[in-house]
Structures are given as C-alpha cells and as structure tokens.
Amino acid sequence: MLEYRQKRLQMEPIRLNDIYSSLEKSESLEFRRVVCIGVFDKDRSIYVGPRSRSISGVAVNGYYVITPLMPVPNNPDSVQSTVLVNRGWVPRDWKDKPLEIPHDSQQHADIASLSVQYGEQSTWWRFWSKKPKIVEDQAPAITPVQVVGVVRGSENPSIFVPANDPSSRQWFFFDIPGIARALGLPENTLYIEDINENVNPSNPYPLPKDVNTLIRNSVMPQDHLNYTLTWYSLSAAVTFMAFKRLKPKKIQR
C-alpha cells in the first residue's frame, strides 16, 4: 500500500479538465497529483478540527480549511465544476479572524456578474453580433489561481472522534459527501489536498500539507517492528524472572 501511494505521488500532475474529458472516476485517481485552475469562494470555507501541529517544538491547535474552487466563466483552462480544496492548516485564532470581506465579496460579485453576462452573450448572439464584444470589454477582471493538489477521499474516524454537526458548522473529520451537501454541491464533488511547497514566509497560512505525510499511515511497518521487539523483550524478561523466582533452591547439608 505504501509503495502504491509513493508511486502514484511520483507521477506527473495531470490537468483536471483532461480527467473530465476521459470520464475517469475519482476513486481511481486517489493519490494522483492534479492541476486545476479556478477562483476560491472563501466566504464558504469550512474548518475541520481541531488538529494539532508542532510549531517550534510546541503543540498548537488549529484547523484544516476546505474552500470551494469555483469555475471561471469564459476561461477554457478553468475547472468545469466546483472542486473542494483543502488549502492547509491554520491556527485556532486564524479561524476567528475576519476575512478580507471587501475583496472576497467583490470577487464573488464579479463571478456572479460574469455568469450573468455570459448568459446574455449566448442569448443575444443571434440577434446582435456586436453584443459579445461589448460584454467582453465590460466584463470585470477575475484573477484565477492554479492549485496543484492530491486527490483524496473521506476519513474513517475512530470511535473517539465526535460526529460532525453540519447545522452548527462543526466538522471533526473529513466527510466529503457531507461537506459537499452542506455547501449545496453534489456528493461526488472532487476533493483534493493542496501540496504547494512555495509557502510565503510572511503569510504562511493556510499551510499546505507536506506530500510526505500522505505516504504515512497511522501505523507504519517500523512501528510494527518496534512493537514486536518491545513485547518479545518484555516476555523474555518476565520469563527469566519467573524462572529465577520459581526455581527450587538447593538444600545445603
């Protein structure tokens, strides 16, 4: 399983639009690196956690941020449908920090405006050939982002993890169909984890996942070896002490 993951992660990234054109299922794409272009709808971000992270040797609680990556109208390189992106880890106080509402709201309004204008373009094209050019000149500028991520699936939480509560926006583990439903998206929405390595030191958050952590499992083969050596050593020690304790003593005459 570890070799399979490592081999998949070492493959060249593929364009998400090529996946859609080949009708490849997301289950067969898990642990594949994909490249997708779109615009983040940060107002609809979901925080999953708390999840601790070691910073300078100190454990700090935080969350993973999942944000929808929206298509950009009239952009052939953009994603064709919304993608859920795990942008990375943020500290607890980052969740309560107010977002840049003016910028995000304006960007969201620009996307809506582009969608409306695109609809007008297709409607009026047959009646007025110059209409699309006017719409194109007046269309607001949207700066798309490129995300390189790894296709992943839902988590299998342990019995100690509480159940998610979508009504109060509390998410303790990654339930991709549930998160998609909460955002009004199809349950089969693709979910990827950002693995961007070019982190800005002045603004590191959200901090993307290290690709090496995707290879790890909850219990690695080395852990099994350590457990084996530990328990066999303890068993040998207890057996030796029991033998010394129960060994009949020689009676001196």
Side-chain angles (χ1 to χ4, degrees):
M1 182 185 66
L2 298 178
E3 291 177 354
Y4 170 80
R5 293 183 181 182
Q6 190 169 11
K7 181 180 178 180
R8 303 274 285 185
L9 290 171
Q10 290 175 348
M11 293 181 179
E12 288 295 324
I14 53 180
R15 294 177 66 252
L16 196 58
N17 289 348
D18 296 339
I19 298 174
Y20 289 137
S21 62
S22 63
L23 299 178
E24 202 167 353
K25 295 183 179 180
S26 60
E27 290 82 0
S28 63
L29 292 169
E30 191 166 10
F31 294 103
R32 280 300 307 271
R33 291 187 296 163
V34 296
V35 179
C36 48
I37 297 175
V39 58
F40 281 123
D41 188 359
K42 297 181 182 179
D43 293 337
R44 295 200 296 165
S45 295
I46 283 181
Y47 295 84
V48 179
R51 301 294 176 94
S52 62
R53 186 182 184 91
S54 178
I55 299 179
S56 300
V58 179
V60 180
N61 276 336
Y63 300 86
Y64 283 111
V65 185
I66 298 180
T67 305
L69 185 70
M70 310 292 292
V72 179
N74 302 328
N75 188 336
D77 296 328
S78 169
V79 293
Q80 299 178 3
S81 59
T82 304
V83 178
L84 293 175
V85 179
N86 184 343
R87 295 162 56 205
W89 183 90
V90 296
R92 179 185 292 270
D93 56 354
W94 201 90
K95 176 184 176 182
D96 302 325
K97 182 179 66 174
L99 295 174
E100 298 177 1
I101 297 177
H103 178 267
D104 291 343
S105 299
Q106 182 62 38
Q107 190 176 57
H108 185 74
D110 290 346
I111 296 173
S113 176
L114 278 174
S115 301
V116 172
Q117 292 175 358
Y118 179 75
E120 291 180 356
Q121 175 179 336
S122 59
T123 302
W124 290 99
W125 173 265
R126 68 173 70 96
F127 298 104
W128 194 255
S129 60
K130 293 183 179 181
K131 183 68 175 179
K133 185 176 187 304
I134 297 174
V135 171
E136 184 178 355
D137 293 340
Q138 295 176 351
I142 295 289
T143 304
V145 296
Q146 176 175 295
V147 178
V148 179
V150 176
V151 178
R152 295 299 309 275
S154 300
E155 279 185 324
N156 294 321
S158 66
I159 59 175
F160 304 104
V161 178
N164 291 329
D165 187 4
S167 59
S168 61
R169 298 181 62 86
Q170 289 186 338
W171 300 89
F172 300 99
F173 61 92
F174 295 104
D175 176 16
I176 306 308
I179 292 175
R181 285 195 305 268
L183 294 175
L185 301 173
E187 291 189 0
N188 61 346
T189 299
L190 194 69
Y191 166 68
I192 66 174
E193 294 182 347
D194 191 355
I195 56 171
N196 178 28
E197 298 179 353
N198 299 324
V199 178
N200 185 2
S202 61
N203 186 22
Y205 303 118
L207 190 62
K209 280 193 172 183
D210 182 2
V211 67
N212 293 324
T213 62
L214 302 178
I215 303 176
R216 290 191 55 83
N217 198 19
S218 57
V219 180
M220 297 291 286
Q222 183 63 35
D223 298 328
H224 286 289
L225 178 61
N226 293 338
Y227 296 154
T228 302
L229 294 177
T230 299
W231 287 108
Y232 271 103
S233 299
L234 291 174
S235 299
V238 171
T239 302
F240 176 75
M241 290 187 292
F243 175 77
K244 295 291 290 184
R245 178 67 178 83
L246 300 177
K247 181 181 178 180
K249 297 180 179 180
K250 295 182 180 179
I251 301 175
Q252 296 180 355
R253 296 182 179 179

